[in-house]
Amino acid sequence: MDIDNGLKRALYQLLEEPSSSRPAFWTNIIISFLIVASAVMTTIETIPAFRSAESNRVWFHLESTMVALFTLEYLLRLFAHSDSLTMLKKFVFAPISIIDFISIVPFYIELIAQRDTTYEFRFTILRLFRLLRLFKTYKYSNTIIMTIEVMVVALRRSGDALSALFFFLVTCVVLFSTLLYFAERGTWDETLQAFVDPQGNPSDFDSIPAAFWFVLVTITTTGYGDMVPTTFIGKLVTFPAMMFGVLLIALPSIIVGRNFTIVWEAM
């Protein structure tokens, strides 16, 4: 990176080029550790056993310390990229920088608003995405770089096949949902103004879009069990949907895996 100012250049190498020196490497390791620690704190904080007046004060102080460190790091990186307007603009609108910004701003909004704003701003966990910067530490690791490149190329080569599979998936979801709707909707009840089953209960399959959920859950082999067909025709329609689900799981793995092997052997 061509930076005229000596201080900004040194700061840039310290924060953005972990392989440039030992201090830069350890700075990156410490920042990465803080990111992981922050994510762990955010996760543990939600456990009811750790929520009390006393523990909330502890979490607040820990969070304040983390945010202060991340804010300092963001401002230093902002300063390091301010050698030119173009460089500064590129930094501000970079995806990682945006994640940095929106992961620390809610804390200050909460301080100003004097209330819990986590319902409106649930971006703290986004800090975890900053670990993507760890790849800079391994920029000279040929194995890691080649693996990433091979995966990207394999996905690109699989694009047409995966697109066709997705189109087939959407078609099957609409088809099975339509068939299940007519098989499971029951009869119309004028009093309830809804379709009811033979027991008089409102039908879960009261529209084709409502049947989408059951078909998607079945095809992806998740099977929540919140909606189940009760008629013989409905069960008969569900059987091929379940079989299609097995193919849906297997085919993408085969397609991408085959292309991955081809690209890996070629490189």
Side-chain angles (χ1 to χ4, degrees):
M1 181 64 66
D2 187 17
I3 301 176
D4 297 329
N5 187 286
L7 177 61
K8 293 180 181 179
R9 182 169 59 253
L11 196 57
Y12 177 88
Q13 292 176 341
L14 181 68
L15 297 173
E16 302 289 357
E17 297 290 344
S19 58
S20 62
S21 64
R22 184 172 293 275
F25 175 81
W26 283 109
T27 299
N28 186 264
I29 293 299
I30 292 172
I31 293 174
S32 300
F33 173 78
L34 290 175
I35 293 171
V36 174
S38 175
V40 171
M41 282 170 45
T42 301
T43 303
I44 295 177
E45 187 182 1
T46 60
I47 300 176
F50 291 97
R51 297 186 68 86
S52 65
E54 183 177 351
S55 62
N56 284 343
R57 284 194 296 271
V58 174
W59 292 124
F60 176 76
H61 291 313
L62 289 174
E63 177 70 6
S64 300
T65 303
M66 289 290 184
V67 172
L69 292 173
F70 289 137
T71 302
L72 176 63
E73 184 226 357
Y74 181 82
L75 293 176
L76 289 175
R77 290 175 61 219
L78 186 69
F79 175 74
H81 286 79
S82 63
D83 196 59
S84 67
L85 185 60
T86 303
M87 185 180 180
L88 181 62
K89 185 177 180 180
K90 185 178 179 181
F91 167 78
V92 171
F93 292 102
I96 296 296
S97 298
I98 293 174
I99 290 175
D100 287 349
F101 183 76
I102 64 177
S103 65
I104 61 177
V105 165
F107 177 82
Y108 295 105
I109 294 178
E110 184 173 332
L111 285 181
I112 295 172
Q114 293 294 313
R115 67 182 182 86
D116 186 5
T117 59
T118 52
Y119 184 80
E120 295 92 342
F121 303 102
R122 311 175 195 183
F123 303 129
T124 307
I125 201 65
L126 286 176
R127 292 174 190 157
L128 197 58
F129 285 98
R130 300 175 66 214
L131 289 176
L132 293 172
R133 292 166 53 200
L134 275 175
F135 285 112
K136 291 182 179 180
T137 309
Y138 308 104
K139 65 184 297 183
Y140 296 115
S141 176
N142 293 330
T143 303
I144 293 178
I145 294 300
M146 188 168 68
T147 302
I148 296 173
E149 291 178 351
V150 169
M151 181 59 70
V152 171
V153 174
L155 288 173
R156 286 177 179 173
R157 288 193 175 189
S158 307
D160 292 338
L162 294 177
S163 298
L165 183 63
F166 178 75
F167 176 77
F168 185 52
L169 169 65
V170 173
T171 303
C172 288
V173 168
V174 175
L175 174 62
F176 286 128
S177 298
T178 303
L179 294 175
L180 278 169
Y181 164 69
F182 287 108
E184 293 289 329
R185 69 178 182 179
T187 57
W188 181 257
D189 188 296
E190 290 292 343
T191 304
L192 297 176
Q193 289 293 302
F195 286 105
V196 295
D197 59 22
Q199 287 73 38
N201 299 317
S203 174
D204 292 327
F205 299 85
D206 57 353
S207 68
I208 293 177
F212 283 172
W213 173 250
F214 171 78
V215 174
L216 284 172
V217 167
T218 301
I219 285 179
T220 56
T221 68
T222 305
Y224 286 121
D226 54 341
M227 296 171 63
V228 292
T230 56
T231 66
F232 174 76
I233 300 297
K235 294 176 182 178
L236 198 63
V237 171
T238 304
F239 179 74
M242 291 188 292
M243 293 300 100
F244 175 71
V246 176
L247 294 176
L248 177 68
I249 298 298
L251 283 178
S253 301
I254 295 172
I255 294 170
V256 176
R258 178 175 176 274
N259 284 319
F260 183 89
T261 303
I262 293 172
V263 177
W264 181 270
E265 292 177 348
M267 294 186 69

